Amino acid sequence: MGFSCSNRFPVFPALLLLVLFMFTVYVYSPSNQSNGSPVRQCPQPADSQPKFNLMEETYGSEWDKQSVDKYLSSSYCTIEYANTFKLQQDHPCVIRLIRDNYIGQPAPKNVPYQMDHPETIDPSDGQSKEILRILKNLTNGFFIECGGFDGEFLSNTLYMERSLDWTGLLVEADKKAYGQLTSRNRKAYTSPACLSTKPYPMEVVYNGTVGAYGAILEEKLPQSNSLTDESNKIAPAKDTEHIYKMQCFPLYSLLLAIGRTQVDYFGLDVEGSEFKILETIPWHKVNIKTITAEWNHVPEGEAGLTRLMESNKYTKTGLISNYYTREVVYVRNSFLVYEQN
């Protein structure tokens, strides 16, 4: 007995459709896009999300051997795009944006400082004394100070810079304070941004009403990953003199922008976001010897901060408790071992 199938799908059309499908997949695969158009990354399951949102976590360890435009053409590289698509901390577009728009250069060494109280040798509230004790009065060191405020009042790093020839990076989101900071002629990089609480660039609402105690009010996160979807855009709040939108970048992005991942001292005082900021740092990519972090406004408290830092191979060496200061001191374990040998 013979069997027949009158509705059998013709073989040639089926093969043609298969070839077209495979060609489409190949052409539009991110690894084969070389024209620099935006590469849309498919969402990953929660348990497989990149821990630090780095290029190597998305594109592999040899991503930097490719042309920069392979990942995003310069024509698409805008702060709006970087924020909306949550670009990687080390994405070439993010680093370019910071270098072009968010970094001020150090003042030349022969330019005199402009201080309100030049007679004050060390305006810090105990931080510089403690850190220099640990570092044995290191000269020519490198610091990060966030917030840097006006570059003088309660500055953790001014003594290091003026007396011990340090340089570094001063980060200050308060617009008025940053204007004062840039007038001081500090011999360090400056940035009019805030440190991101996420491992990607983002815009926030910042409250500068209380000067040195300014803080992030609200995170303005994009609601959609579509450049054309107008319905999900957040209506921008109207800026006022003291409450306004502010651009934030991960600390690692800022360090890459100035070409420095070896840091002797990191001072972090941002009125409550310290834990989230420290969580974004890819500690295997940087070498930060010592840290002071304000803990009394952090929801996780000093104990939470210490657990986080211990998990990243740091040791709590003490607390600084003075009139203006409630900070905890951490030292990288590998530095402690080195000093003890």
Side-chain angles (χ1 to χ4, degrees), residues 23-280:
F23 177 76
T24 301
V25 170
Y26 174 81
V27 169
Y28 289 99
S29 170
S31 63
N32 292 303
Q33 291 189 16
S34 59
N35 62 357
S37 59
V39 177
R40 299 187 184 277
Q41 300 164 19
C42 296
Q44 303 178 38
D47 59 356
S48 66
Q49 285 287 343
K51 183 176 181 182
F52 293 112
N53 191 32
L54 300 175
M55 291 291 286
E56 66 184 32
E57 294 171 341
T58 305
Y59 298 106
S61 60
E62 297 189 350
W63 72 269
D64 56 349
K65 292 182 171 57
Q66 302 292 330
S67 168
V68 169
D69 277 358
K70 178 180 178 66
Y71 303 105
L72 186 67
S73 169
S74 58
S75 61
Y76 288 99
C77 182
T78 65
I79 196 63
E80 293 80 12
Y81 187 94
N83 289 343
T84 300
F85 287 92
K86 303 177 183 178
L87 292 187
Q88 290 86 352
Q89 300 199 51
D90 53 346
H91 196 292
C93 171
V94 174
I95 308 310
R96 175 188 170 189
L97 288 169
I98 295 172
R99 286 175 176 166
D100 290 351
N101 304 289
Y102 295 93
I103 290 291
Q105 296 298 310
K109 288 191 175 183
N110 62 344
V111 175
Y113 289 98
Q114 298 294 326
M115 300 294 166
D116 293 334
H117 300 282
E119 72 282 358
T120 302
I121 297 175
D122 182 3
S124 77
D125 202 28
Q127 293 90 341
S128 66
K129 181 179 179 180
E130 177 61 16
I131 293 302
L132 289 172
R133 182 191 67 79
I134 296 170
L135 297 178
K136 299 180 180 179
N137 288 319
L138 175 72
T139 58
N140 298 297
F142 191 90
F143 60 76
I144 311 162
E145 186 172 5
C146 181
F149 194 51
D150 69 356
E152 179 180 7
F153 179 68
L154 293 177
S155 173
N156 295 354
T157 59
L158 182 57
Y159 174 75
M160 300 170 176
E161 184 180 307
R162 285 196 300 189
S163 301
L164 298 173
D165 292 322
W166 284 47
T167 187
L169 170 64
L170 298 161
V171 182
E172 181 50 58
D174 186 283
K175 291 180 179 180
K176 182 178 179 180
Y178 184 77
Q180 295 170 322
L181 167 60
T182 56
S183 72
R184 305 292 187 198
N185 294 330
R186 292 287 303 263
K187 311 308 185 277
Y189 295 99
T190 61
S191 180
C194 49
L195 294 186
S196 181
T197 57
K198 305 290 184 180
Y200 44 78
M202 60 189 292
E203 187 179 77
V204 301
V205 176
Y206 183 83
N207 181 9
T209 304
V210 285
Y213 302 100
I216 292 172
L217 279 181
E218 177 187 354
E219 296 176 357
K220 302 291 287 183
L221 296 175
Q223 299 298 302
S224 170
N225 275 357
S226 171
L227 288 177
T228 58
D229 184 0
E230 298 291 334
S231 62
N232 285 327
K233 286 186 177 180
I234 300 174
K238 185 176 180 181
D239 287 357
T240 67
E241 181 182 359
H242 299 295
I243 299 178
Y244 40 81
K245 295 184 290 294
M246 176 55 59
Q247 180 62 41
C248 298
F249 295 100
L251 174 65
Y252 185 53
S253 303
L254 289 167
L255 291 177
L256 291 178
I258 61 174
R260 187 79 186 221
T261 55
Q262 302 287 321
V263 177
D264 297 296
Y265 167 56
F266 175 27
L268 182 60
D269 181 353
V270 290
E271 307 304 318
S273 297
E274 287 82 358
F275 185 94
K276 291 181 179 180
I277 289 170
L278 291 169
E279 272 192 317
T280 72

